[in-house]
Structure formats: structure tokens, C-alpha cells
Amino acid sequence: MSSPDVTLRIDQERYRPGEELIGAFQVDGYLPDDYLIELSVLWHTEGKGDEDLGVILFQEWSANKQPFDVDQPQSFTVPLPRSPLTYEGQLIKIRWLAKVRVRCSPGGEQLAEMPFRLESAPATSQDNR
Amino acid sequence: MKRTAARPPGCFWTVFLVIGLVLTAAFGYWMVWLPLRVNLFFVETVCVVLDKKLEKIDGTDGATFRPLIHIEYTVANRVHRIWTYDASSISDNLRERQQAILDRFQNGQQYPCWYDPNDPDKAVLTRELSLWSLMILIPLGFVAVGTGGLMYNRTAKSSGPPAEIMPNISGIGAAPLMRMGGLFVGGFFGAAAVAVILIITLGRMVPFWMVPLLFLLPFIVYGSVLRRHGRQAMTRLKLSIPSRERSAAAIQDADVRDADGDEANREAETADSWPTIPKLTLVPGDQLAYRLTSENTAGCFLLGSVVLAVFWNGIVSIFLREVIQGHLNGKPDWFMTVVMFPFVMVGLGIIGFVFIAFVGFISDLMAGPLRFEISSHPLVAGSSYHFVVDQTGMFQVRNLQLKLKCREEATYSAGTSNRTETREVFQQTVAESEVGDDRGLRGTVTVPSEAMHSFDSGRNKITWKLHISGRLAGFLPYTNVFPVIVHPAGDSTV
């Protein structure tokens, strides 16, 4: 009995604050009686410090609450917040990603991740305020 | 951002395990092995009771008692007379119970006893394992908790969430955890209890070689049950433990939807229009829109360094006095002199810190409050702002210099403590006062268009500050810091 395959895609690699992220994922294969599927869109920090995590979208399916329709793509949309922006610092890095986690018994856990960048709108000419 | 507690580190469980093993060894020797040894190896004979007494042992928690019986028995035609009762010789404060044991024996009567064939001077009047043997369950509990904790940490490290966000398990979600805990810990205690009871009740009825089997049998059953149901329970437990995303979503303002995509927490999305960007409340300025608030900590720095200097040098001085006295009396203690040297150096270093803090504090007092006003706030990357810095104190700060700085702060767990590493990632000189211009500073500050916005997620921070430095009375250094908030480029709401 093989573990289910998870595929995930999103419509862009770069987003502006406030834009809507559109994506879809699909779980192919056999899902046992005990399973849990979680979809999340989140940012997290990497680097020297302990990891911080912020989730802006969380959705889940399970056998006993809301069965998941295997082999059918599940689409999702979520408006992205204005911050934090993707950042590549020296001690701190901020990354954004969409993630699908499939946990089943037996079968363990499968992960599918799709990173993307949240970037600021281009600055207009330096304005005096 | 809300955060949950970190998982206890491996050393915490290791301490549990080591303490448990040490205590198990000690308890096991006195309360299990010694009586067991009597059952296994001692030889039965007949003795005559010569005398008896209740021995009183005074302790810090009160007196305890134990029965002692003077017996006479013969081994290989040699007569032995000893005071004895059982193998463990454990005393307790239950005087009546110990007296009852004593009353069972009458002087001049014969009773069975058991002696050590390797050392016939050792003998006991009972082979029973007392209830004190059950005390071994306590250190065994430490062993179980330590082992379980290490196994959990290992599992969590290999597949689970990072230490920062740990799942909260409660309600119905905790049922698999409770079952698993019950199976692992309860089963272990149950097996240990059954093993002790089996030994107490059947230990003397079965051949010696079966005694270890009696002890191990419950654990073998426990192991087989754990093997059969434990894996299944562990898998269900993993499923029931919320993922780090779920845990984070539950405590943050996440858009949590049910499986149909309906939004359960929609209003939360708009609760914070600039997530992770800290807020700063400012008062209106006299000349420009806002007056920035100083982050000057000269007073706190001085107070802290003085307290540290008094504490450290106060302790060192006690020992230093003895060392100096020795030298003055012509009896120098060179070992102590060498040992004290680094402590004295550290003390002098702290006094140096006190001096620096004092200079900073005096400079701050002499310069008086510095009024720093800016045309708008928060700042936006790529925009420029007018600012005014006015001195209001009696003494003029000269050679004023204003710098815009950005710093990253990363806090990480190191063992049981937290450490914060900081790094300045941006610095730009904004303005410098010209010679003869003592009024202060005026000009515009421009935030680079590519600048990262201010950020605070708990363990990681990006801060922006305006630093002012100068000289007071020509030689006293002066610094002052004014935090600002920077928003991303293109923000038109400010």
C-alpha cells in the first residue's frame, strides 16, 4: 500500500502586499481510514534566532470531520497581508510559502511546499513628507 | 505574536533518567536485592531466641524503630550468636508495628532462621519482602519519565514541529495521548507492581532459578502488549498532535476555514493591518508633526553597573583583605594571591564600566532633554522627512552627528536560557552640525527605498533608530537614541 502523492501549485512566484494568492493542490492515491490533510499559507523566519511562524490561512480535512475528495484538485484563495515582506538579512530571513501536510495512519506524513515572495510595491520617486 | 512554551531540553530528561537509575540501584539493593538474596542463597536452620529489643534510632525527622532479636544457632558445629531480624534492616516510625513483630518471638523458643553459607555470622529470622520493597516504584517512575521524555524529544526532533511552537493538546484531542501515556507509564508501573507482588507471594514457593523469571514475567507481558498496541497508539498519537501550523493558527489571527472554505475567523484578518510591524505612539511636536521619544538608558546603565560593582567587589574584598593581611604580616599566601588575581581584574573592569556609565549619565544631565521632531511617522521606505533637533539644556552639545541605523536582533535558546545576537545591517549619516552652529540640527532624513520594514515576531526583530552623538564641554561623549518605525516602500496610508 503506497503513500498518497501530494502536488501543490500557486499562480505566481511573486506577490505584492494585499494581492490575492490563488492556488490548488491535489492528493492522489489511497487514503486510509485515519487521515488528516492540512493546507496553510504562512511566513516563517530562518537564521540565527529561533523560528517564528505566522499562519494567514489554515484549512483542514479529516476522515471523521470532512472527508477529502481524492484525485480532485482543491483550489484556494487568500488575500496576502501587507507584512512581513520576504527578507534576506544577515541574522534573519523571512520566507513565505504555501504548504500541504497529509498525515495518515498507516503511511506517516507527506509534505508539499511552494515558496513565494511577498515584495513591496516599487517606491515612487523619493517624496518629501 | 503569542508564543507557547518550549519543549524541555534533553538534559532535563537525562537528569530524570540518571536520578532514577541511581535511586533504583540504591533502592533496589537495599529493599529488593538483599531480601531476594536471602530467598535465593541463604540456608535454613533452627535458632534459639536469647533476647529481643526494639532499637530506637534518633534522626532529624524524629525517632524510628526496628526489631532486633538475639539468636543462637549452630553451623558446622560452631555456635553463632547475633542480633538480627531481616535482611534490609530498615527502620520506620511505626513503633506499634515493629513491637508487634517483636512480640511474635519468645525468649528461649526455637524458630527457623536462614544463614549465609559464605558468611555464617549473617542470618535472618524472616525471608519476607516487606512493603518497603514497593518503594522501588518511585525511582522506576523517574526512569520511565526520563526515558519517555528522551524518546518524545527524539521523535519530535526528527518529525515534529520546531521547539518554538508546541501543540496544545486538550479535550478530545488529548484522548490518544492519555491512552498512550496510560499504556506506557501505567503499564510499566503495573508490571513493576505485579513483579514485586509475585516475588513477595510466590518467591519462597518456587525454585530459586524461577525467582528472576517471576520478576521478569510481568515486564515481558508488558513489552509484548506495548509492541502490539504501542505502534498503533503512537501513530494515532502523531495524528492527534496538532501540527505547528495548526497550533500557530489557533493562537494567531489566522484565517481559519472549515473544509468547505467558509471562513471561521474572517474578521481577524483586518484586526491588524500591518502584522509584525510594531507600533509607536508619539506626541505632537511644536515645530513638526511628531516628537520622537528618547530611548536613553544612561541612568539605568549607571544604576545597574553600580549594583554589579558593589556586589562583585564586596565579595572579592572579603577574600582580598585576607590576602593583603597575609602579605603585610610577612606570611603571604601565594596560591590565594594567584587565584584572586582574575577576580580582582574583573572587579576593576566593572569599576571601569561604572566610570563610563557615570560619564554618560553626567553628559545626559548636562545636555538636558533633546527635542527631536519629525514631519511624519511611521517612516516609509523610499521617502524623506524633515526633522529638527533642538537642545534645551544648559550646556551645548557640539559636533552633533545624526545617523540612521537598522539592526537585526535574533534570540535563540541555548540550553535553558535565551541569548540574543544583534547585528547592525545598515548605517547612514544623515546630518552633521557645522562649526559654530550650536542650535542643533535641521534637515531631511531619507529612508532607502530598498529598506526592510520594522519587524517584531517575538524571537526575531528588525529595528530602526536615529542615533545622535556629539561632544559636551569639548571632551565628554554624548549619545542619544530615538527609535522609529519604518513601513514598506509604496505604503500610501501613512
Side-chain angles (χ1 to χ4, degrees):
Chain A
M1 192 182 306
S2 62
S3 302
D5 290 325
V6 191
T7 50
L8 169 67
R9 65 177 194 280
I10 52 176
D11 60 335
Q12 298 176 52
E13 290 180 353
R14 295 164 186 268
Y15 293 87
R16 299 284 183 211
E19 276 188 352
E20 197 160 68
L21 179 146
I22 302 171
F25 73 96
Q26 188 166 336
V27 179
D28 297 312
Y30 171 76
L31 270 180
D33 293 340
D34 249 355
Y35 70 85
L36 187 66
I37 297 172
E38 294 176 351
L39 163 71
S40 48
V41 177
L42 58 99
W43 61 263
H44 69 107
T45 60
E46 290 179 8
K48 189 78 178 176
D50 292 341
E51 185 187 44
D52 284 324
L53 177 73
V55 179
I56 61 157
L57 169 68
F58 184 82
Q59 199 168 351
E60 68 179 354
W61 295 260
S62 64
N64 51 3
K65 282 183 186 170
Q66 179 71 44
F68 185 79
D69 193 359
V70 182
D71 299 330
Q72 291 296 316
Q74 177 73 41
S75 60
F76 59 93
T77 59
V78 60
L80 295 169
R82 294 194 280 190
S83 59
L85 300 181
T86 301
Y87 178 63
E88 296 284 332
Q90 296 179 27
L91 297 178
I92 302 167
K93 299 177 195 326
I94 302 171
R95 312 237 193 257
W96 278 91
L97 54 93
K99 179 189 274 191
V100 174
R101 187 191 291 271
V102 179
R103 309 161 96 184
C104 49
S105 167
E109 183 172 281
Q110 273 76 47
L111 275 179
E113 294 181 349
M114 189 57 70
F116 63 89
R117 294 181 65 85
L118 184 65
E119 297 175 338
S120 63
T124 51
S125 59
Q126 290 193 345
D127 50 335
N128 285 300
R129 300 183 185 223
Chain B
M1 168 182 285
K2 296 171 189 170
R3 299 175 57 79
T4 51
R7 182 177 57 233
C11 59
F12 178 80
W13 303 117
T14 306
V15 168
F16 255 87
L17 182 60
V18 170
I19 290 174
L21 288 174
V22 170
L23 291 179
T24 299
F27 280 47
Y29 177 78
W30 288 106
M31 295 169 182
V32 178
W33 170 243
L34 288 180
L36 201 61
R37 188 166 154 264
V38 170
N39 279 279
L40 293 172
F41 305 115
F42 278 33
V43 177
E44 185 172 356
T45 187
V46 176
C47 67
V48 176
V49 172
L50 303 175
D51 198 3
K52 59 183 181 180
K53 65 180 179 183
L54 196 62
E55 189 182 46
K56 182 182 178 186
I57 301 164
D58 291 316
T60 52
D61 296 332
T64 57
F65 305 90
R66 66 174 178 180
L68 278 180
I69 298 163
H70 197 201
I71 60 171
E72 180 185 279
Y73 57 99
T74 305
V75 176
N77 296 322
R78 188 182 159 206
V79 176
H80 299 266
R81 291 190 186 91
I82 61 168
W83 286 92
T84 185
Y85 174 61
D86 63 358
S88 298
S89 302
I90 295 170
S91 61
D92 61 35
N93 57 1
L94 303 171
R95 181 173 186 155
E96 291 76 18
R97 182 171 159 271
Q98 304 289 20
Q99 184 64 48
I101 293 172
L102 214 55
D103 292 343
R104 282 169 23 205
F105 297 90
Q106 302 300 323
N107 290 349
Q109 297 288 316
Q110 287 190 334
Y111 297 91
C113 73
W114 292 265
Y115 69 90
D116 185 350
N118 297 319
D119 184 5
D121 279 335
K122 288 181 181 168
V124 294
L125 279 162
T126 179
R127 292 195 301 172
E128 290 177 1
L129 280 165
S130 74
L131 287 175
W132 282 107
S133 304
L134 293 173
M135 289 280 285
I136 198 169
L137 293 176
I138 296 172
L140 279 175
F142 274 66
V143 173
V145 170
T147 308
L150 286 173
M151 285 170 62
Y152 174 73
N153 269 18
R154 196 176 165 187
T155 306
K157 270 182 190 171
S158 60
S159 63
E164 294 70 43
I165 293 180
M166 286 299 293
N168 290 321
I169 305 174
S170 59
I172 198 166
L177 180 65
M178 299 301 286
R179 278 199 292 274
M180 186 66 194
L183 183 68
F184 184 81
V185 180
F188 184 85
F189 277 108
V194 170
V196 173
I197 290 168
L198 279 179
I199 296 233
I200 291 173
T201 54
L202 302 176
R204 278 177 295 169
M205 301 178 193
V206 297
F208 288 159
W209 61 268
M210 278 193 70
V211 174
L213 272 183
L214 271 183
F215 183 78
L216 289 176
L217 187 64
F219 287 100
I220 293 169
V221 174
Y222 166 68
S224 60
V225 170
L226 199 62
R227 186 175 176 184
R228 180 165 182 174
H229 297 288
R231 194 169 178 177
Q232 188 184 2
M234 184 64 86
T235 310
R236 288 198 171 153
L237 176 64
K238 278 186 178 176
L239 270 181
S240 70
I241 293 176
S243 64
R244 60 176 187 162
E245 294 85 20
R246 190 180 217 302
S247 302
I251 59 174
Q252 296 169 355
D253 295 332
D255 179 4
V256 179
R257 302 176 187 176
D258 61 25
D260 294 326
D262 297 333
E263 295 151 15
N265 194 17
R266 189 62 177 161
E267 72 282 359
E269 189 184 330
T270 55
D272 185 1
S273 56
W274 291 103
T276 69
I277 297 183
K279 294 173 178 62
L280 188 63
T281 306
L282 299 175
V283 295
D286 294 333
Q287 301 176 53
L288 297 173
Y290 295 104
R291 179 179 296 177
L292 298 179
T293 308
S294 169
E295 199 188 57
N296 204 334
T297 55
C300 295
F301 185 44
L302 176 63
L303 184 67
S305 56
V306 166
V307 168
L308 182 64
V310 169
F311 178 74
W312 180 273
N313 291 307
I315 293 173
V316 169
S317 65
I318 296 169
F319 298 97
L320 190 63
R321 186 171 171 272
E322 295 296 320
V323 173
I324 292 172
Q325 280 288 4
H327 282 275
L328 292 177
N329 294 338
K331 296 176 183 175
D333 185 343
W334 289 109
F335 175 74
M336 276 300 289
T337 305
V338 172
V339 167
M340 287 302 297
F341 183 76
F343 290 93
V344 173
M345 288 296 105
V346 171
L348 290 174
I350 296 172
I351 290 173
F353 268 117
V354 172
F355 178 74
I356 293 169
F358 182 73
V359 169
F361 183 69
I362 290 296
S363 300
D364 200 48
L365 277 183
M366 291 169 69
L370 205 64
R371 199 164 56 203
F372 194 139
E373 294 185 2
I374 198 157
S375 56
S376 182
H377 192 271
L379 313 185
V380 176
S383 298
S384 300
Y385 302 86
H386 299 295
F387 69 86
V388 174
V389 178
D390 279 335
Q391 300 181 52
T392 57
M394 294 173 61
F395 296 86
Q396 293 289 336
V397 182
R398 299 178 194 277
N399 307 112
L400 275 177
Q401 191 176 52
L402 176 64
K403 288 181 178 175
L404 178 64
K405 294 182 180 180
C406 177
R407 191 166 72 165
E408 294 179 4
E409 296 178 18
T411 302
Y412 56 95
S413 306
T416 53
S417 61
N418 290 328
R419 291 181 187 168
T420 299
E421 187 169 328
T422 61
R423 188 165 299 173
E424 199 170 284
V425 292
F426 176 81
Q427 176 177 304
Q428 183 184 58
T429 301
V430 175
E432 288 175 313
S433 61
E434 295 175 4
V435 178
D437 181 9
D438 297 335
R439 294 171 300 167
L441 285 173
R442 280 169 174 73
T444 56
V445 54
T446 301
V447 184
S449 57
E450 70 279 8
M452 175 59 178
H453 59 75
S454 302
F455 175 73
D456 184 355
S457 62
R459 310 289 279 185
N460 298 277
K461 293 178 185 175
I462 298 167
T463 58
W464 285 89
K465 288 172 184 174
L466 285 159
H467 285 244
I468 290 181
S469 60
R471 295 260 164 212
L472 200 68
F475 68 99
L476 281 175
Y478 174 84
T479 58
N480 212 332
V481 179
F482 295 86
V484 289
I485 302 298
V486 171
H487 277 201
D491 174 20
S492 57
T493 61
V494 178

